[in-house]
Amino acid sequence: LYCYDDMSFVCLMCAHYGDHKDHKKELIKDAAILIRERASAKSDDIESQLIKIRQEEMILKMQKIPLQNALEKVQKCVNETSDSNLLQSWSEFSQVGCNLQTLILDKDNCRGVNISDDGLHLKNVGKGSESNPSYALGNTGISKGFSRYQFKIDKDTIRNESVCIGITTKPFNPNMSYQKNPNLWILRAYNGNFYSKGNLTQTNGKFSVGDIVTVEVDMNLGTINF
């Protein structure tokens, strides 16, 4: 027999007359079924916690890199002895700064995707087409200054990627193909094609699973960089 209270095997004598008399006991084969179910549930729970921790670590890592770059640039200003070089270094720092924004995805402006409760992650669950693509928009617009966002590609079909990343202006028409949409500036993972208001530019900016894509938008200069 197996004793649940002491988590040990017991003989019939101890189970009925000894220290385990009032304990919860069961045949070993039946106890094994229950414990296996408990172990499986606990494994799923621990795995979910680890996934969440890894995601949080990735977010922190994505935030750390631009902060390190910004620190190097501002320290260059601090240590600069030439007035003209100081002003130039400060200009460079001001353009980059620490402007890594946290993009929250908008659950009311999406289709064919599941968005996590914190709005930081999405999973494609739809069967998008050219005229009916899956998409998700951020919940914050950009109207001025310099902004930087980063995206981690956790899952896609390698060598047949479907992810596209970019920005849009209002009004956004979700039923129009990204190749023709006049309100989109978007980079395609599969071939690195960049679509600017429906105009195609071929680039070497392909990306795939495991890559981190940085998007820089400068509203003062009217530019977008990947």
Side-chain angles (χ1 to χ4, degrees), residues 112-212:
V113 298
N114 283 340
I115 296 177
S116 61
D117 292 338
D118 59 11
L120 297 176
H121 311 276
L122 67 80
K123 179 180 180 181
N124 183 32
V125 295
K127 295 182 179 179
S129 63
E130 183 173 332
S131 60
N132 189 38
S134 299
Y135 74 94
L137 300 181
N139 68 352
T140 303
I142 308 169
S143 59
K144 60 182 179 180
F146 181 90
S147 298
R148 178 190 286 114
Y149 302 94
Q150 289 186 327
F151 302 87
K152 173 71 161 51
I153 312 303
D154 291 318
K155 187 176 181 180
D156 204 340
T157 303
I158 296 177
R159 290 185 292 277
N160 191 28
E161 294 83 359
S162 60
V163 174
C164 296
I165 295 175
I167 62 172
T168 182
T169 58
K170 294 181 178 180
F172 172 66
N173 182 357
N175 299 316
M176 181 177 290
S177 167
Y178 63 84
Q179 293 101 325
K180 303 175 182 178
N181 198 314
N183 299 98
L184 278 180
W185 289 260
I186 197 165
L187 184 67
R188 186 181 178 192
Y190 170 68
N191 52 18
N193 283 351
F194 176 64
Y195 296 89
S196 172
K197 302 176 68 173
N199 298 312
L200 168 62
T201 301
Q202 293 181 333
T203 77
N204 60 355
K206 295 191 293 184
F207 56 94
S208 190
V209 176
D211 289 336
I212 296 176

Side-chain angles (χ1 to χ4, degrees), residues 77-92:
C77 295
V78 173
N79 298 324
E80 187 58 69
T81 57
S82 166
D83 292 345
S84 59
N85 290 342
L86 167 64
L87 297 176
Q88 179 62 36
S89 297
W90 180 254
S91 176
E92 293 175 1

Side-chain angles (χ1 to χ4, degrees), residues 1-20:
L1 296 174
Y2 181 78
C3 174
Y4 288 103
D5 294 59
D6 293 335
M7 292 186 290
S8 63
F9 301 109
V10 297
C11 66
L12 290 175
M13 184 65 69
C14 293
H16 291 290
Y17 305 106
D19 295 338
H20 301 275

